[in-house]
Amino acid sequence: DGSILQRMFVPKVTREGHRKLYHHGSSFVRSQLKHYGVKFGEAEFSGNGTVLMRKALLAGHCDKVPNHITALQRQMHTEWLETQTPQQLATKPSWVMEKYFLRSGQPDRTKTVTVVGIPFEPSSKCRSGLVEAASKVPGLHCATGYGPKSQVVFMGWKSAAVEKAANEHPAKEKKEVQALKQEYEDEREAKHNAYLEALKEKRAPKKYSPVGSYMIDCKEITDNWPDDAQNMTLNIRTTEERGVYEAKFDFGAVIGAVVICDNKAALLQYCAELDREAESRWSDGSMGFGDDDHADADIGNKSALSSKRKA
């Protein structure tokens, strides 16, 4: 906006102008001049370009964006809108209207002839903004369907079709959720069966040990962070000390490492040694911030776990 530039650079650079220059340097002035179609030679540009910017403003060169640039801007915006999904546009009600239901700011029933659904998280407060925007478009109908994982605002030119989509959404989404859950359970069962078959093929004497990879279920995490609960794992490995095990867990919402031992005295001694080794490595500079990834691969190395503990 030319008036904003006037305020920032005329008669002198204001705090707002200095802030723009601080964050963007001379590129800010260059981009503004280009936006307004102001041509200049490099010899005219010095420092951050404030002198040239002020000169262009005083000459009225930034009062209006040239028509060809405005047309290009509209074209690029339209092309960009076509690449956006309903989810990506959910928080921009005006863009939803523009993409699906308006042409040159006016209702266009031929632009979208089907019902459009814009999804929101169940707890989202943004739905009301979209409903309000839809209510301002003459002839456009709107209804919300509440499913187990989302609330969806359905819009279209036919009231019956919109209501039907909203009414069917809860059952449809519930079915999709159940299908995904069943697929997840089937995949877990297949992995477990493959693990059991692998054990049978080893033909070795039975040796009971906690070492292995585990698939974890946790109702509290699933209820509060369902997306993080899809692939919770616990991996336990041996160490150099008999009866002491190191475990890494990834529960989505929380990730970490622990030491496991059925002998408390041995456990405390092992952890104390880990701390001493870690302090020694930190003090002599042999362990830096980049050691963690390498440490993960160093199975059974006590100093490896110590680097994770200190990270």
Side-chain angles (χ1 to χ4, degrees):
D1 190 314
S3 63
I4 296 177
L5 291 175
Q6 286 275 358
R7 186 178 68 231
M8 288 194 295
F9 291 96
V10 178
K12 62 180 182 179
V13 183
T14 63
R15 179 177 297 180
E16 184 181 5
H18 280 300
R19 190 179 300 115
K20 289 290 186 182
L21 294 172
Y22 174 78
H23 288 294
H24 305 288
S26 63
S27 62
F28 176 75
V29 171
R30 289 180 182 276
S31 62
Q32 293 302 315
L33 293 175
K34 186 174 183 179
H35 179 63
Y36 284 95
V38 179
K39 296 181 180 180
F40 60 91
E42 284 301 316
E44 301 177 75
F45 201 100
S46 61
N48 284 333
T50 54
V51 174
L52 183 58
M53 182 82 259
R54 189 178 299 112
K55 180 180 177 181
L57 287 167
L58 292 174
H61 296 324
C62 299
D63 292 345
K64 182 178 181 297
V65 179
N67 292 335
H68 72 281
I69 293 180
T70 302
L72 178 61
Q73 185 180 28
R74 284 197 299 266
Q75 178 187 340
M76 293 178 66
H77 177 65
T78 300
E79 292 174 354
W80 175 80
L81 275 182
E82 290 303 314
T83 68
Q84 300 302 290
T85 65
Q87 292 90 334
Q88 292 170 323
L89 294 175
T91 58
K92 300 292 184 181
S94 62
W95 289 352
V96 173
M97 298 301 113
E98 184 180 348
K99 177 175 181 176
Y100 296 107
F101 306 111
L102 301 178
R103 195 182 302 277
S104 300
Q106 298 300 315
D108 184 351
R109 291 173 176 265
T110 65
K111 194 170 187 179
T112 303
V113 296
T114 58
V115 174
V116 174
I118 307 295
F120 295 89
E121 294 290 330
S123 59
S124 174
K125 305 296 184 183
C126 298
R127 181 187 66 86
S128 59
L130 182 59
V131 172
E132 182 181 357
S135 68
K136 295 178 180 179
V137 179
L140 185 63
H141 299 278
C142 176
T144 303
Y146 299 91
K149 291 194 68 177
S150 70
Q151 50 178 327
V152 180
V153 176
F154 293 95
M155 295 166 290
W157 301 110
K158 296 181 179 180
S159 177
V162 171
E163 290 293 338
K164 183 174 184 291
N167 292 335
E168 291 179 350
H169 173 66
K172 181 180 179 182
E173 187 171 74
K174 181 179 180 180
K175 185 177 180 180
E176 292 173 352
V177 169
Q178 290 174 338
L180 287 174
K181 183 178 180 180
Q182 187 60 51
E183 181 181 347
Y184 173 65
E185 293 296 335
D186 291 344
E187 183 180 346
R188 282 164 57 94
E189 185 176 359
K191 288 181 179 179
H192 182 63
N193 290 336
Y195 171 73
L196 294 178
E197 289 299 321
L199 288 181
K200 292 179 182 179
E201 294 175 2
K202 286 186 176 181
R203 297 180 180 178
K206 285 187 177 180
K207 185 178 180 181
Y208 297 99
S209 167
V211 173
S213 296
Y214 299 82
M215 295 179 289
I216 304 300
D217 288 320
C218 177
K219 187 177 185 302
E220 185 173 353
I221 294 178
T222 301
D223 290 344
N224 290 281
W225 302 279
D227 292 337
D228 289 336
Q230 294 300 312
N231 294 292
M232 295 188 291
T233 58
L234 172 67
N235 295 289
I236 303 176
R237 66 189 184 186
T238 59
T239 68
E240 297 171 352
E241 302 297 327
R242 184 180 179 85
V244 179
Y245 304 90
E246 294 172 359
K248 289 178 58 180
F249 59 89
D250 183 349
F251 297 162
V254 59
I255 300 173
V258 294
V259 178
I260 302 172
C261 182
D262 63 359
N263 185 305
K264 186 175 181 179
L267 177 64
L268 293 175
Q269 181 179 349
Y270 185 83
C271 290
E273 187 176 346
L274 288 179
D275 288 336
R276 285 193 295 271
E277 290 183 3
E279 290 172 4
S280 175
R281 295 185 70 193
W282 277 109
S283 62
D284 64 18
S286 62
M287 184 171 73
F289 290 109
D291 287 350
D292 287 356
D293 292 337
H294 177 71
D296 287 344
D298 193 4
I299 298 177
N301 188 322
K302 287 183 288 187
S303 62
L305 186 62
S306 68
S307 68
K308 293 300 290 184
R309 287 161 58 85
K310 290 292 183 180

